[in-house]
Amino acid sequence: MASDDRYTYERAGVSIDAGNALVRAIGPLVKATRRPGADGEIGGFGGFFDPRAAGYNDPLLVAGNDGVGTKLKLAIDHDRHDTVGIDLVAMCVNDLIVQGAEPLFFLDYFACGRLETGVAERVIAGIAGGCKMAGCALIGGETAEMPGMYAEGDYDLAGFCVGAVERGEQVTGERVAPGHVLLGLMSSGVHSNGFSLVRRLAEDMEWQLDAPAPFDEACSLLDALMEPTRIYVRSLLPVVRGGKIDALAHITGGGLLENVPRVLPPGAHAVIDAGAWEQPGLMAFLQRQGNIEPGEMARTFNCGIGMVLAVQPELASEVVAELEEAGEEVAHIGEVAADLRGCTVRGPAGSWGSAAAWEATHTA
């Protein structure tokens, strides 16, 4: 057989050398995320973590996984690969803190048709940055080069995170009762949900993404849309460990209407006043562009609130003060009422672009 007829893995579209080069390149990034309990090197068949070295005596482990959704298409189409890794981490670690768990370690999955080490390194640098923000270690991952599975330049991401909480200290929502105060932590933008609708609007309305945003001339519309998901772990963890929060809801797909009821017990109904905080300019822009009804906004986007807390009324001022000191912007957005488990978001005339008072309800 002639040398030209000899098959190799690279001839089939997979470069082992490129994969090895990526591992070498990301080694320092991974090392920078080390924390007590995780001090191993990447490259093995698995990553070790020692909960006792992390300070736990009788921990319950909490695990979660998530992705970035079609926000990735904006990143790919506009060469914005540096922050989607932060989104990936945020979507996972924010889901753990709502159960009272401290994120301990993270693993990522990066899949593509042809490995471009420069792009992959930028993405993984964002993942490492997100892990540092959340205080968790990046202990491993998988880079899959699969010719024919993805279009040229496309890739996909998945993240997996494990956290821990001491037995008996987990946040379950079972203590929430009518009269509890609902506090909202402001979001940093669209986060990583609703981008199929965002991208449809961008196409149909022929947005100029590189032009200054209509609601903020200091940044482009693309910058506003790509703002990474806020990571709430460091600010929330001390308050959670202090036993001052009875329930937490991470506002992701399903918006306020469908996420808040997930953490409420039977007989508890969240009533949220949409007039209690100013609708962010980006959200108002999306609503106007799509002529979106307020109720649809409340079940599609976070509408400016990335996390909802349920606290006892006598602790509300203390919790607000602690979170503001930690850098969060906090609003008193509603209360818990006695009714079927669910959520009602209502607004006065003039709120969220509505000429009349409105409300939207979801029961779990």
Side-chain angles (χ1 to χ4, degrees), residues 212-221 224-225 280-286 288:
F215 46 87
D216 184 359
E217 292 189 355
C219 70
S220 71
L221 181 53
L225 293 171
L282 174 56
M283 296 296 167
F285 170 77
L286 294 173
R288 288 194 305 270

Side-chain angles (χ1 to χ4, degrees), residues 187-204:
S187 66
S188 56
V190 184
H191 286 182
S192 296
N193 297 100
F195 271 88
S196 293
L197 176 53
V198 169
R199 290 172 49 248
R200 178 63 181 270
L201 286 172
E203 180 180 352
D204 290 354

Side-chain angles (χ1 to χ4, degrees), residues 70 93 319:
T70 60
V93 299
V319 169

Side-chain angles (χ1 to χ4, degrees), residues 178-181 244 246 311-320:
H180 266 64
V181 169
K244 300 171 186 176
D246 289 334
V311 302
Q312 296 178 22
E314 60 271 21
L315 293 176
S317 296
E318 182 180 344
V319 169
V320 170

Side-chain angles (χ1 to χ4, degrees), residues 59-84:
L60 294 174
L61 296 182
V62 185
N65 70 295
D66 213 328
V68 181
T70 60
K71 189 174 187 176
L72 278 180
K73 281 299 292 178
L74 279 182
I76 292 165
D77 292 345
H78 299 276
D79 192 31
R80 294 296 187 97
H81 309 288
D82 302 273
T83 58
V84 288

Side-chain angles (χ1 to χ4, degrees), residues 274-359:
W277 71 97
E278 185 177 354
Q279 185 185 35
L282 174 56
M283 296 296 167
F285 170 77
L286 294 173
Q287 186 174 11
R288 288 194 305 270
Q289 289 285 294
N291 192 27
I292 304 171
E293 292 291 332
E296 182 69 11
M297 289 291 293
R299 68 190 298 267
T300 302
F301 297 112
N302 64 58
C303 299
I305 302 294
M307 190 76 72
V308 173
L309 294 59
V311 302
Q312 296 178 22
E314 60 271 21
L315 293 176
S317 296
E318 182 180 344
V319 169
V320 170
E322 287 189 37
L323 290 171
E324 289 181 340
E325 178 67 23
E328 299 294 348
E329 186 178 352
V330 191
H332 180 168
I333 64 170
E335 284 80 30
V336 176
D339 205 339
L340 293 175
R341 180 169 60 193
C343 179
T344 295
V345 181
R346 58 171 62 118
S351 64
W352 293 16
S354 178
W358 57 274
E359 73 172 40

